[in-house]
Amino acid sequence: AQSVTQLDSQVPVFEEAPVELRCNYSSSVSVYLFWYVQYPNQGLQLLLKYLSGSTLVESINGFEAEFNKSQTSFHLRKPSVHISDTAEYFCAVSEEAAGNKLTFGGGTRVLVKP
Amino acid sequence: DAGVTQSPTHLIKTRGQQVTLRCSPKSGHDTVSWYQQALGQGPQFIFQYYEEEERQRGNFPDRFSGHQFPNYSSELNVNALLLGDSALYLCASSSLLQGQYEQYFGPGTRLTVT
């Protein structure tokens, strides 16, 4: 069975500083990987995804994530955060053979300080 | 283009009662998945509907049931409510017919059981 571990439950960071959110997954088959963001009192928004091809994927608002198959990781990075990036971030995985059922990590709360 | 919509936004019920939550998928999507997000946790997969049938089910008791209608909208029913059922219930839509593995989430229904 697949599982997802987000190693940091909370990450405080100053505005314009870089941030990295760590995500490791456990699966014995091919996987698809996702990062979702959840702002307070809202649903989840897809931030970026890895389905195949280049292992480095980018979002339109400056986030990037790199799929590392040997380390079974999909860490999320942003070189310079804004106050508006304050939110909860969820890493999720789906197995190719299991449709698109998502298994989520426990989430990482990012608090950007001025 | 309307995204995923859910109703109601909030709901308060008493233990032992039954509840029905509703979801309309994003235009062009044919698959609906339901997730439960307890406070401070990542979403947990409940079940998925495609072609009006339950395709996959997570580790939830039979008190949780669902339905998908010909127009692809869906309902989640929970019987004999327990205090532990208090959570944000998220609906997600996708298009397996088009081979899309990313899911788009609605804003959620916050259920409080007293």
Side-chain angles (χ1 to χ4, degrees):
Chain A
Q2 57 194 11
S3 65
V4 179
T5 302
Q6 292 184 243
L7 297 166
D8 305 295
S9 59
Q10 291 189 64
V11 175
V13 57
F14 286 105
E15 194 173 15
E16 298 183 7
V19 69
E20 178 180 75
L21 308 184
R22 296 177 292 171
C23 172
N24 287 90
Y25 68 92
S26 171
S27 176
S28 58
V29 299
S30 296
V31 296
Y32 303 122
L33 296 156
F34 306 87
W35 276 99
Y36 283 87
V37 58
Q38 186 174 38
Y39 298 102
N41 300 313
Q42 294 188 26
L44 300 174
Q45 297 177 29
L46 180 64
L47 191 58
L48 45 74
K49 62 182 184 272
Y50 170 79
L51 302 180
S52 64
S54 173
T55 57
L56 184 65
V57 292
E58 299 177 352
S59 72
I60 58 173
N61 55 356
F63 284 93
E64 66 178 29
E66 187 161 19
F67 170 52
N68 187 319
K69 188 174 182 179
S70 62
Q71 297 187 9
T72 60
S73 67
F74 191 54
H75 301 332
L76 180 70
R77 303 182 186 91
K78 188 170 185 181
S80 176
V81 297
H82 301 126
I83 294 289
S84 59
D85 292 323
T86 294
E88 186 137 25
Y89 294 79
F90 292 95
C91 180
V93 61
S94 66
E95 292 181 342
E96 186 175 18
N100 62 355
K101 176 188 91 170
L102 291 170
T103 299
F104 285 88
T108 298
R109 186 172 300 277
V110 173
L111 176 59
V112 181
K113 304 176 180 180
Chain B
D1 175 25
V4 180
T5 60
Q6 292 185 244
S7 64
T9 305
H10 296 88
L11 204 52
I12 300 174
K13 290 286 189 178
T14 304
R15 275 180 301 176
Q17 286 188 317
Q18 178 263 345
V19 68
T20 297
L21 311 182
R22 296 176 176 82
C23 171
S24 291
K26 182 178 168 65
S27 177
H29 285 183
D30 52 25
T31 303
V32 173
S33 302
W34 287 92
Y35 293 81
Q36 180 195 66
Q37 185 180 18
L39 197 62
Q41 298 182 23
Q44 300 276 330
F45 175 76
I46 303 174
F47 43 55
Q48 182 182 83
Y49 278 84
Y50 173 66
E51 293 187 332
E52 302 181 48
E53 291 189 0
E54 184 182 292
R55 297 181 76 247
Q56 296 188 76
R57 188 179 183 91
N59 188 25
F60 279 80
D62 292 343
R63 298 188 296 109
F64 289 77
S65 64
H67 188 77
Q68 185 179 35
F69 299 94
N71 66 353
Y72 306 119
S73 66
S74 177
E75 288 182 349
L76 163 65
N77 301 292
V78 187
N79 294 321
L81 285 166
L82 303 174
L83 294 179
D85 295 331
S86 294
L88 180 67
Y89 288 85
L90 296 164
C91 169
S93 74
S94 57
S95 176
L96 287 183
L97 190 64
Q98 298 178 20
Q100 294 181 4
Y101 280 87
E102 56 266 43
Q103 297 189 35
Y104 294 84
F105 284 80
T109 294
R110 185 163 298 282
L111 172 64
T112 302
V113 182
T114 61

